[in-house]
């Protein structure tokens, strides 16, 4: 039995040589004679990223409007949108002070009248000087940002009649 184990160990060690440590391979964009071009290969037709279906479903299913969603939208807006659009959505973010083009205010009547899908698509695909945020902002966060933009717009146009009666009494009692 011991001889058999030693024989198997010797055979296993004989199979190890330097080629296992230093294997021939191509660099990412190196010329590959086997493929007659670059070693970077195009994916097969119909191939998609592992999470592409889930992301596509998230993009088409708007989450319900909750306080948590608005808070998440406020956070994401501060990170991704306020440098250009400003904290209040007026289009006077820090980039304008640095010489970049002045983005349209979210309070512009054209954008107030735009549907939510317009904002989602602009965040996803970009528009004008704005580039796409699809790779940086997941679909659920894009919907959260859209909800927060709507809250910003409403904050400028709201009247006391828009406040629920229970909250209205509290506001009227404030000095």
């Amino acid at each position: 039995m011991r001889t058999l184990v030693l024989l198997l160990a010797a055979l296993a060690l004989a199979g190890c040589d330097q080629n296992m440590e230093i294997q021939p391979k191509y660099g990412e964009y190196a010329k590959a004679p086997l493929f007659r071009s670059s070693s970077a290969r195009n994916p097969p037709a119909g191939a998609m990223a592992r999470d592409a279906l889930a992301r596509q479903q998230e993009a088409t299913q708007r989450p319900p409007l909750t306080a948590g969603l608005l808070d998440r939208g406020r956070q994401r807006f501060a990170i991704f949108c306020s440098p250009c659009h400003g904290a209040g959505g007026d289009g006077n973010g820090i980039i304008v002070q640095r010489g970049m083009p002045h983005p349209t205010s979210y309070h512009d009547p054209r954008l107030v009248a735009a549907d939510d899908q317009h904002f989602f698509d602009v965040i996803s695909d970009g528009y004008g000087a704005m580039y796409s945020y699809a790779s940086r902002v997941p679909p659920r966060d894009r919907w959260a940002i859209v909800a927060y933009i709507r809250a910003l717009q409403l904050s400028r146009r709201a009247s006391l009649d828009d406040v629920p009666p229970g909250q209205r009494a509290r506001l009227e009692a404030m000095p």
Side-chain angles (χ1 to χ4, degrees):
M1 180 71 175
R2 183 176 177 182
T3 309
L4 181 64
V5 170
L6 287 175
L7 181 63
L8 287 174
L11 285 173
L13 289 174
C16 295
D17 66 354
Q18 197 172 25
N19 282 340
M20 288 184 70
E21 294 173 11
I22 304 172
Q23 296 182 12
K25 60 186 173 196
Y26 297 118
E28 288 177 11
Y29 296 104
K31 188 171 174 84
L34 179 65
F35 303 119
R36 296 187 194 142
S37 63
S38 168
S39 62
R41 309 305 311 147
N42 291 328
M48 50 189 343
R50 189 178 286 189
D51 64 343
L53 240 58
R55 288 177 77 89
Q56 187 177 18
Q57 264 186 338
E58 280 184 11
T60 57
Q61 295 175 351
R62 181 186 310 193
L65 184 61
T66 62
L69 185 77
L70 277 174
D71 189 47
R72 179 73 177 182
R74 182 187 55 77
Q75 292 169 357
R76 301 293 104 181
F77 183 90
I79 293 168
F80 295 106
C81 309
S82 68
C84 300
H85 292 279
D90 294 315
N92 59 355
I94 191 73
I95 61 110
V96 175
Q97 298 170 22
R98 303 280 194 267
M100 297 293 287
H102 197 282
T104 306
S105 169
Y106 288 128
H107 308 291
D108 182 276
R110 179 181 63 84
L111 291 182
V112 170
D115 64 341
D116 292 350
Q117 190 66 48
H118 169 77
F119 291 105
F120 186 88
D121 292 343
V122 168
I123 296 168
S124 301
D125 304 326
Y127 184 82
M130 180 179 160
Y131 52 87
S132 168
Y133 279 87
S135 64
R136 297 166 188 84
V137 182
R140 185 169 175 84
D141 284 350
R142 285 181 243 163
W143 284 119
I145 291 170
V146 170
Y148 184 71
I149 290 169
R150 290 302 191 193
L152 282 176
Q153 291 173 333
L154 184 62
S155 72
R156 296 281 173 94
R157 298 178 287 117
S159 69
L160 198 54
D161 295 333
D162 295 327
V163 179
Q167 299 291 329
R168 189 177 315 153
R170 209 175 93 221
L171 285 175
E172 288 171 340
M174 293 177 95

